[in-house]
Amino acid sequence: MENTFFMTFNDLGLSAELLRAVSEQGYDTPTPIQAQAIPAVLQGGDIMAGAQTGTGKTAGFTLPLLQRLSANTKKGKFRPVRALVLAPTRELAAQVGDSIRTYGKHVPLRSGIVYGGVSIQPQKQFLRRGVDILVATPGRLLDLVNQRAVNLNKVEILVLDEADRMLDMGFIHDIRRVMELLPQQRQNLLFSATFSNDIKKLADDLLHQPKLIEVARRNTASERVAQTVHPVDKSRKRALLSYLIRSQKWGQTLVFTRTKHGADRLTKQLGQDEISAVAIHGDKSQAARTKALGDFKRGKFQILVATDIAARGLDIDQLPHVVNFELPHVPEDYVHRIGRTGRAGNEGEAVSLVCGEEKKQLREIERLLKKAVPKVVIEGYKPMEEEPKKAAAPKGQGPRGRKPGNGNARPDGRAPGGKRSGYGKRTNSTSKNRGYRTPTRSKRNQAAAPAN
Ligand code: AMP
């Protein structure tokens, strides 16, 4: 991999119009994925990039895509779709669409976004007028194709964004159907945070001698994110959350719950504690989700409570805190969740409130991360719950879990004997090292501000 450390955007071969848009965003240095992907895409080859959200991957493909298309703008009234970006969720599609508009402000290209859950008519209308770049979720795109509202036979560049998520969400058949509608000759860009065998198979069918770009190790949580577990009884999680938000003076915070119902309930309870919160989940209409996100971004609400699916693709600048109110069932979702903080060079803090019955999930997460997450018991919130009584557990078995901060837990995940929940005692050293040196928001912003 070439040394990209001292690169500037001027070194990447981008046009003056695009450089202007980049500098208007206040970016002065390309992120590693941008430094590698931009020249490769400009050369016209296929790429397969292992990059999580938060790495700057959107600009990594959007900027060169805009440049390639604007090199030969199609004149005339009708604009065929020349670049197609497929994304797993409405939120990600909307975010990518916004980025295309932002970076493409000074080039004469039209773009559009289509996703399900909203009326199809307006989408048909703007497609009739023609767009050069279309961002779409797969299902709605196929609906539009079936209704002959869009034709994909002039696509020059195909982007699959968060391909692993698309497969997780069962879009593989839709993706393959879309691929059949595209011209054989085209450029393909595939982005994925993880590389399962299914992704590799898709890549084999889709990509032609791709350049491989890997900027974050597979399945590893961003190293910029400080992670902490606060052991706490289930019944006291809400009180602890309110306490942390206040005492640590957290600014805007994204809180994950496992269920839609849990998200609604927590939002209400935070409201009772006079902490402004709004929920975003799959049961809400698209309009309500967009409004909630917009209100949160504008600072109308301090806390955004989200479920995993709803949170995919959320792009909120400089979000300093992510809280796992409940751990996800799927360990990979933990990595996705904490990727919502520590984005693009900012520091971030991910806090998980973990009760006795979630210790199995925590162990699985730590196995995936290949390290223990430091445990810090907050004064006054020491867990009192006994280990959940499981019928299967043999009598006299010691508590499960790990000693705090100890990465060398037994392979079976059990810690040596002890009476309480198995989380161990308060670890002062950990709390000092990790703990609550949370810089103020203004300090963070200063740190993140571009250097002239
Ligand atoms: P992404 O991984 O594409 O979702 O981008 C994550 C965040 O990084 C977005 O908020 C972008 O606005 C921001 N970003 C992208 N590129 C840069 C850059 N070169 N410098 C600073 N911030 C960036």
Side-chain angles (χ1 to χ4, degrees):
M1 185 172 90
E2 60 259 62
N3 185 355
T4 56
F5 194 71
F6 296 109
M7 265 189 186
T8 68
F9 275 103
N10 293 329
D11 302 323
L12 299 179
L14 291 170
S15 67
E17 291 80 11
L18 294 170
L19 289 174
R20 200 170 129 208
V22 164
S23 97
E24 283 166 5
Q25 283 305 295
Y27 306 161
D28 51 0
T29 318
T31 65
I33 190 146
Q34 291 163 1
Q36 293 181 68
I38 293 173
V41 179
L42 286 177
Q43 276 172 19
D46 285 3
I47 65 170
M48 166 153 150
Q52 300 181 344
T53 185
T55 52
K57 67 182 165 70
T58 317
F61 66 77
T62 302
L63 289 165
L65 179 153
L66 287 163
Q67 175 142 333
R68 281 179 65 74
L69 296 185
S70 54
N72 56 5
T73 357
K74 294 272 183 282
K75 300 255 155 49
K77 241 173 137 196
F78 183 70
R79 302 276 188 99
V81 177
R82 296 171 61 208
L84 174 66
V85 183
L86 289 183
T89 61
R90 311 154 185 193
E91 279 81 10
L92 185 67
Q95 177 202 323
V96 171
D98 284 350
S99 296
I100 291 173
R101 257 175 230 146
T102 307
Y103 303 132
K105 203 141 82 207
H106 307 300
V107 297
L109 294 168
R110 269 194 235 147
S111 61
I113 314 166
V114 295
Y115 45 70
V118 294
S119 163
I120 201 165
Q121 285 312 326
Q123 299 178 351
K124 283 164 105 172
Q125 266 160 25
F126 76 68
L127 285 171
R128 210 167 296 136
R129 288 196 297 275
V131 290
D132 303 283
I133 307 163
L134 182 61
V135 186
T137 53
R140 175 54 62 96
L141 178 65
L142 286 172
D143 287 347
L144 287 158
V145 167
N146 291 338
Q147 298 187 27
R148 296 183 193 286
V150 63
N151 192 330
L152 301 175
N153 65 5
K154 293 281 188 295
V155 169
E156 297 162 34
I157 306 174
L158 170 70
V159 183
L160 296 189
D161 197 8
E162 300 201 356
D164 50 348
R165 270 285 150 170
M166 287 201 273
L167 299 200
D168 286 352
M169 293 170 76
F171 284 135
I172 185 65
H173 301 297
D174 289 353
I175 292 173
R176 290 196 180 274
R177 235 172 290 152
V178 170
M179 278 161 59
E180 283 164 16
L181 302 168
L182 307 176
Q184 292 278 321
Q185 187 71 26
R186 57 171 201 266
Q187 185 176 20
N188 301 290
L189 319 176
L190 182 144
F191 290 81
S192 188
T194 55
F195 286 97
S196 63
N197 289 338
D198 286 345
I199 289 283
K200 286 190 195 128
K201 192 164 177 314
L202 177 67
D204 277 351
D205 297 346
L206 180 75
L207 306 173
H208 180 67
Q209 298 182 341
K211 179 180 164 71
L212 302 179
I213 301 174
E214 181 96 43
V215 293
R217 266 172 293 135
R218 194 181 149 190
N219 287 348
T220 52
S222 160
E223 262 135 33
R224 289 188 304 271
V225 180
Q227 302 168 58
T228 313
V229 160
H230 294 313
V232 60
D233 287 340
K234 192 174 176 180
S235 58
R236 303 207 64 211
K237 280 190 178 187
R238 195 256 297 177
L240 176 57
L241 178 62
S242 295
Y243 170 76
L244 289 171
I245 292 170
R246 289 228 171 81
S247 60
Q248 311 302 332
K249 301 199 173 19
W250 286 348
Q252 289 211 296
T253 302
L254 176 60
V255 178
F256 284 96
T257 60
R258 223 160 34 209
T259 63
K260 302 166 194 172
H261 181 61
D264 282 336
R265 196 175 43 212
L266 181 63
T267 306
K268 219 180 266 164
Q269 289 169 335
L270 287 171
Q272 285 161 12
D273 289 346
E274 290 174 13
I275 295 171
S276 63
V278 64
I280 181 167
H281 57 62
D283 268 2
K284 301 219 164 186
S285 70
Q286 184 54 32
R289 285 155 78 171
T290 308
K291 182 170 184 311
L293 183 59
D295 286 347
F296 176 69
K297 282 188 172 184
R298 278 190 297 278
K300 187 170 165 200
F301 295 100
Q302 186 185 354
I303 311 293
L304 181 66
V305 184
T307 55
D308 289 295
I309 291 290
R312 289 300 303 172
L314 286 188
D315 178 33
I316 301 150
D317 282 342
Q318 299 181 13
L319 190 67
H321 291 101
V322 166
V323 175
N324 294 304
F325 189 76
E326 287 141 344
L327 290 180
H329 279 306
V330 182
E332 280 80 6
D333 279 343
Y334 175 88
V335 177
H336 284 296
R337 286 180 178 189
I338 73 165
R340 306 281 133 200
T341 181
R343 315 193 90 188
N346 299 316
E347 282 177 37
E349 195 174 359
V351 166
S352 302
L353 310 188
V354 179
C355 67
E357 65 192 50
E358 290 172 303
K359 275 186 268 173
K360 183 165 166 280
Q361 279 111 285
L362 182 58
R363 270 201 303 274
E364 281 169 6
I365 289 164
E366 291 181 321
R367 204 169 295 141
L368 178 72
L369 299 173
K370 296 197 176 62
K371 64 174 186 181
V373 181
K375 325 281 181 299
V376 178
V377 174
I378 298 291
E379 193 100 50
Y381 292 89
K382 195 166 92 178
M384 306 301 284
E385 278 170 3
E386 285 298 320
E387 186 76 349
K389 298 216 174 6
K390 283 202 194 112
K395 231 182 153 191
Q397 178 180 298
R400 288 156 183 260
R402 290 174 181 188
K403 281 192 148 185
N406 176 3
N408 305 319
R410 288 169 41 166
D412 60 359
R414 288 181 200 155
K419 260 196 157 175
R420 271 189 310 109
S421 58
Y423 287 116
K425 293 196 194 101
R426 179 183 181 128
T427 52
N428 279 330
S429 60
T430 320
S431 66
K432 256 185 225 150
N433 296 342
R434 263 291 168 208
Y436 302 111
R437 292 169 293 101
T438 315
T440 60
R441 198 162 161 68
S442 62
K443 268 197 199 141
R444 280 180 191 285
N445 290 344
Q446 276 163 22
N452 289 326

